[in-house]
């Protein structure tokens, strides 16, 4: 079971966007994730009239390593670690380590 899933609200722990929050848009291979409005870079593009692409400087979100983010705990307003708990019926759920609350509400 993954500790961070698509749609989770996370907080950045290191880097230029430290302390900012965002929602996980997708999880990529090699332990990288796309978080909305985090790690925004400027990319210079050439125009391509055949493909209908305008040239210029565009802002684009880039991926960030999964070790640089933490799931956001709304009860404590901080990033928190996640543990896996097995219920009596055998179903696994994700819980915050600090207060044992269910992550998937």
């Amino acid at each position: 079971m993954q500790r961070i899933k698509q749609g989770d609200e996370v907080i950045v722990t290191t880097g230029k966007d430290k302390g900012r929050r965002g929602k996980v848009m997708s999880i990529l291979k090699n332990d990288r994730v796309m978080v909305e409005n985090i790690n925004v870079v400027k990319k210079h593009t050439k125009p391509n009239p055949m493909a209908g692409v305008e040239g210029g400087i565009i802002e684009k979100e880039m991926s960030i390593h999964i070790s640089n983010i933490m799931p956001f705990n709304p009860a404590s307003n901080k990033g928190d670690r996640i543990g896996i708990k097995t219920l009596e019926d055998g179903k696994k759920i994700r819980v915050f380590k600090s207060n044992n609350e269910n992550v998937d509400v």
Side-chain angles (χ1 to χ4, degrees), residues 15-44:
K16 67 178 185 177
D17 293 323
K18 181 177 180 176
R20 294 185 60 200
R21 292 191 333 209
K23 200 168 258 195
V24 175
M25 295 189 302
S26 63
I27 298 179
L28 309 173
K29 58 183 177 179
N30 297 334
D31 294 330
R32 298 191 74 81
V33 294
M34 296 289 289
V35 183
E36 66 181 2
N37 298 324
I38 302 294
N39 199 18
V40 178
V41 297
K42 293 187 179 199
K43 181 173 168 69
H44 298 259

Side-chain angles (χ1 to χ4, degrees), residues 61-100:
E61 295 162 341
M62 298 298 284
S63 65
I64 187 170
H65 197 265
I66 202 164
S67 67
N68 296 333
I69 60 174
M70 279 185 116
F72 180 73
N73 188 349
S76 63
N77 285 336
K78 294 181 183 176
D80 204 351
R81 294 180 298 153
I82 286 192
I84 308 293
K85 187 176 184 181
T86 306
L87 301 176
E88 293 92 22
D89 60 353
K91 186 177 178 185
K92 292 183 179 181
I93 60 168
R94 301 182 300 156
V95 293
F96 289 116
K97 290 260 187 165
S98 64
N99 54 4
N100 285 333

